[in-house]
Amino acid sequence: MISRSHGLKAWLIQRLSAVYMAVYLAGAIFCLSVWPPQNYPQWKALVAAPAVSVATLLFFGMLLVHAWVGVRDVVMDYVHAYALRFVLLALVAGGLVVMGVWVLQVIAGIW
């Protein structure tokens, strides 16, 4: 018997990440339209604020997870050769990890 919970988890992750990203973007657009930073030091102070940096890191984490679930589903649906599917998914996962590390470097100032 095939378990359907894996597909349900992927669906739920996709929807929850989309909701968080929509709320984050709506909040960012609102805040930037009401209190726009006027120069680089103000931008830097805004991004360095703990709440903003954590919310932004969470946004990019959700974006990467959302992308993984979407690309994985497409590859699983349309690539039937197991070896090719494995290679494609490994390349996508590697690329997303590299992007995640890059975001950590930029937002959190790590390394």
Side-chain angles (χ1 to χ4, degrees), residues 70-94:
V71 172
R72 183 190 60 95
D73 286 351
V74 169
V75 169
M76 298 276 289
D77 285 345
Y78 293 106
V79 179
H80 300 290
Y82 292 113
L84 180 59
R85 182 188 301 173
F86 177 79
V87 169
L88 287 173
L89 289 176
L91 288 171
V92 169

Side-chain angles (χ1 to χ4, degrees), residues 20-96:
Y20 179 81
M21 290 187 297
V23 169
Y24 175 90
L25 288 173
I29 290 168
F30 174 77
C31 289
L32 290 174
S33 64
V34 173
W35 304 289
Q38 300 298 316
N39 51 36
Y40 180 73
Q42 288 180 353
W43 273 104
K44 191 172 179 180
L46 175 68
V47 174
V52 174
S53 61
V54 168
T56 303
L57 283 172
L58 189 56
F59 171 82
F60 281 106
M62 292 288 173
L63 180 66
L64 294 172
V65 168
H66 190 87
W68 168 252
V69 171
V71 172
R72 183 190 60 95
D73 286 351
V74 169
V75 169
M76 298 276 289
D77 285 345
Y78 293 106
V79 179
H80 300 290
Y82 292 113
L84 180 59
R85 182 188 301 173
F86 177 79
V87 169
L88 287 173
L89 289 176
L91 288 171
V92 169
L96 291 173

Side-chain angles (χ1 to χ4, degrees), residues 2-15:
I2 297 174
S3 171
R4 296 185 192 272
S5 68
H6 185 70
L8 181 61
K9 284 183 209 175
W11 180 87
L12 189 59
I13 289 169
Q14 192 91 26
R15 290 341 176 249

